[in-house]
Amino acid sequence: MTKIMQSPRIHIDESPIRFDRWRRRLPNWLQRFLPSGGGSHEDHHGKGMFGFTVFLLSESIIFLSFIFTYVALRLNTNNWLPPGVSGPELSKLVIINTVVLLSSSFVIQPAENALKRNQLSKFRWLWLITIAMGIYFLIGLLIEWKNLDFKLTTGLVGSTFYLLTGFHGLHVLAGVVLQIIMLIRSFIPGNYNKTHFGTSATTLFWHFVDVVWVFLFSLLYLWRA
């Protein structure tokens, strides 16, 4: 019986722009967000990362719309804080929460790098630490909500604050869930031998969550009424 050798399928790029040549001129950290392999059908990781990057850009638009709405409302509202309401405070809890969340980006990236070098034990420990830091942030957010002197229905300050922090909190929760799934998958023998797209996408998502929090932190806590 004759064996049929299957050659890799190549999707020819018929556009006038030589995308691969342009991609090679970019910094290494930026190349990871773009597809590679010259259109190779087997380049699932590169295409997947590009698609996931497009998804994060769409999420950015949602966050930007919320942020611009918040800024517009604050600039056009004379009495932003109702009588007796002090608004969100830059408390010790908020500062620690922020430090923990932003520091987690410096933990998850070495974890992903360890997986690429097949250092599974190091990956698991660093990944687990990142999960714990994300959960810590969520618990801190809930504690802050409980101690605030305003609620969701307390004027514009309440509705916008809970909308922004709540929507971001949902993204943090989604990131933690994704990390837990990736951690469980690391115990499946040979699961990451061929590709580690899931961990790369989760790492990118976590960096995105951290960057968004920098903007929200500046708007909600540093911009005083």
Side-chain angles (χ1 to χ4, degrees), residues 124-184:
R124 289 166 181 162
W125 277 109
L126 291 175
W127 205 257
L128 185 61
I129 293 174
T130 309
I131 293 173
M133 296 173 82
I135 294 175
Y136 182 94
F137 177 84
L138 290 174
I139 294 175
L141 180 62
L142 292 176
I143 294 175
E144 182 195 6
W145 284 357
K146 183 178 179 181
N147 295 330
L148 289 173
D149 60 353
F150 61 91
K151 303 301 179 183
L152 179 63
T153 56
T154 308
L156 290 175
V157 62
S159 58
T160 54
F161 176 83
Y162 282 99
L163 173 64
L164 289 171
T165 57
F167 191 60
H168 178 266
L170 285 177
H171 281 72
V172 175
L173 178 60
V176 170
V177 172
L178 288 173
Q179 290 172 32
I180 293 175
I181 294 174
M182 295 303 110
L183 180 63
I184 294 174

Side-chain angles (χ1 to χ4, degrees), residues 54-72 101 137 141 145 160-175 204-217 219-220:
V54 174
F55 163 73
L56 290 183
L57 289 175
S58 66
E59 289 292 290
S60 301
I61 294 175
I62 299 176
F63 273 107
L64 284 174
S65 65
F66 288 162
I67 290 173
F68 286 144
T69 300
Y70 177 84
V71 172
L101 183 64
F137 177 84
L141 180 62
W145 284 357
T160 54
F161 176 83
Y162 282 99
L163 173 64
L164 289 171
T165 57
F167 191 60
H168 178 266
L170 285 177
H171 281 72
V172 175
L173 178 60
L204 179 59
F205 182 81
W206 199 249
H207 291 324
F208 168 77
V209 166
D210 283 0
V211 170
V212 170
W213 181 249
V214 172
F215 289 97
L216 296 185
F217 176 81
L219 281 176
L220 299 174

